[in-house]
Amino acid sequence: MSAAILTDLTKCVGCSACVLACEQINGLPADDRPPKLSEAAWTIIRDHRGVTIRQHCMHCLDPTCASVCPVNALQKTPEGPVIYEESRCIGCRYCMLACPFSIPTYEWQSAHPKVRKCGMCFDKRVREGGQPACTSVCPTGATTFGDRDALVREAHRRIETDPDRYVDHIYGLEEVGGTSVLYLSGVPFADLGFPTNLDTKPYPKLTWDILSEIPNVVGIGGVALAGVYWVINRRMMMERLSLEDAANEEVVEELSGPENGGGS
């Protein structure tokens, strides 16, 4: 089973039960209407032109965030969710720049900051065969959990059965190569603020296709980056040695002063 979530915006009533369930299971501050995704709000409800929209991580099938992470702090699990291992994170925040949906957030105010996003309750529920807290509490069935293929079939069935209710588009079916979070809507997604200028190929695949055509540039770039790394570290080392020399000189001056019998 490849775990996924289907959110039907025509059924969402904006009750925020999913938001509160997410906050409770993840130990986040209680707030039924956080204004935007943040380190303290991993799923939100927003209103756009009279439509209530639930927003959280899309859990891409081939996630760009994981592909750019140099330490594998972000990983796509075989079960479907994209998870974050904070013990590996070095705080580079490449994932935040790479995400086509602008999902990952950062604990800017923390002394030991971490990246934060929805993990689809992988560790707490999904890995053991359960469903995420958010989908388990939805009172209208607006957001449901299950196997991705089964949810895709269900989405197609709803569109075919009630074409006047839905636009003929399952958002997340093909965007960026497909996601594990899917949406149905009665309003075009572009009108709701969803990114719609996305490629249907996975972004990591597009990046590799480009880089593979310019091996010499990549090689030169790698050498250049290595050079920059050496220069920066050399500069830091020299500054550290300079500070240590200055400190040693101060100690020598103090020891040779008149009060220590070092002067005439």
Side-chain angles (χ1 to χ4, degrees), residues 214-227:
I214 48 173
N216 292 333
V217 174
V218 174
I220 294 170
V223 172
L225 287 175

Side-chain angles (χ1 to χ4, degrees), residues 251-263:
V251 171
V252 170
E253 289 178 358
E254 290 177 1
L255 292 176
S256 61
E259 62 275 14
N260 293 316

Side-chain angles (χ1 to χ4, degrees), residues 157-185:
R157 186 196 66 79
R158 293 184 192 181
I159 293 173
E160 293 170 2
T161 303
D162 200 348
D164 293 333
R165 178 171 183 154
Y166 299 101
V167 295
D168 189 10
H169 184 186
I170 304 172
Y171 191 89
L173 180 61
E174 296 183 340
E175 282 79 4
V176 298
T179 63
S180 295
V181 173
L182 308 166
Y183 286 90
L184 288 176
S185 173

Side-chain angles (χ1 to χ4, degrees), residues 220-234:
I220 294 170
V223 172
L225 287 175
V228 171
Y229 175 82
W230 184 88
V231 169
I232 291 174
N233 279 273
R234 172 73 174 173

Side-chain angles (χ1 to χ4, degrees), residues 49-226:
R49 298 185 179 181
V51 179
T52 306
I53 303 166
R54 181 180 175 221
Q55 183 180 9
H56 55 103
C57 178
M58 296 292 290
H59 296 276
C60 301
L61 300 184
D62 191 355
T64 312
C65 61
S67 75
V68 301
C69 181
V71 293
N72 292 324
L74 286 154
Q75 302 173 28
K76 178 72 172 181
T77 64
E79 294 85 351
V82 177
I83 61 171
Y84 168 71
E85 295 190 20
E86 60 184 54
S87 62
R88 296 187 177 189
C89 184
I90 58 174
C92 68
R93 302 186 296 281
Y94 290 165
C95 57
M96 298 174 64
L97 297 173
C99 177
F101 302 102
S102 302
I103 296 297
T105 59
Y106 197 63
E107 295 177 329
W108 295 102
Q109 306 303 320
S110 173
H112 303 284
K114 304 176 184 68
V115 170
R116 291 304 189 197
K117 74 170 198 70
C118 158
M120 206 188 285
C121 292
F122 178 71
D123 289 331
K124 299 178 177 68
R125 292 193 173 189
V126 172
R127 181 158 54 184
E128 303 302 325
Q131 66 171 308
C134 57
T135 60
S136 68
V137 299
C138 182
T140 64
T143 185
T144 55
F145 176 78
D147 176 71
R148 186 178 188 271
D149 290 340
L151 291 178
V152 169
R153 290 193 295 270
E154 172 60 17
H156 280 304
R157 186 196 66 79
R158 293 184 192 181
I159 293 173
E160 293 170 2
T161 303
D162 200 348
D164 293 333
R165 178 171 183 154
Y166 299 101
V167 295
D168 189 10
H169 184 186
I170 304 172
Y171 191 89
L173 180 61
E174 296 183 340
E175 282 79 4
V176 298
T179 63
S180 295
V181 173
L182 308 166
Y183 286 90
L184 288 176
S185 173
V187 178
F189 289 100
D191 295 344
L192 298 177
F194 281 70
T196 55
N197 59 340
L198 303 174
D199 204 289
T200 56
K201 282 188 177 180
Y203 280 20
K205 176 68 166 54
L206 287 173
T207 302
W208 173 248
D209 287 346
I210 295 172
L211 292 179
S212 63
E213 295 298 325
I214 48 173
N216 292 333
V217 174
V218 174
I220 294 170
V223 172
L225 287 175

Side-chain angles (χ1 to χ4, degrees), residues 3-54:
I5 293 173
L6 172 62
T7 295
D8 187 335
L9 299 181
T10 70
K11 294 186 175 185
C12 183
V13 295
C15 67
S16 293
C18 57
V19 175
L20 294 171
C22 174
E23 292 167 348
Q24 182 177 16
I25 197 169
N26 290 299
L28 303 173
D31 183 354
D32 64 342
R33 278 303 174 99
K36 62 180 182 178
L37 292 173
S38 70
E39 70 276 10
W42 303 354
T43 185
I44 62 170
I45 294 291
R46 61 183 178 88
D47 296 314
H48 192 93
R49 298 185 179 181
V51 179
T52 306
I53 303 166
R54 181 180 175 221

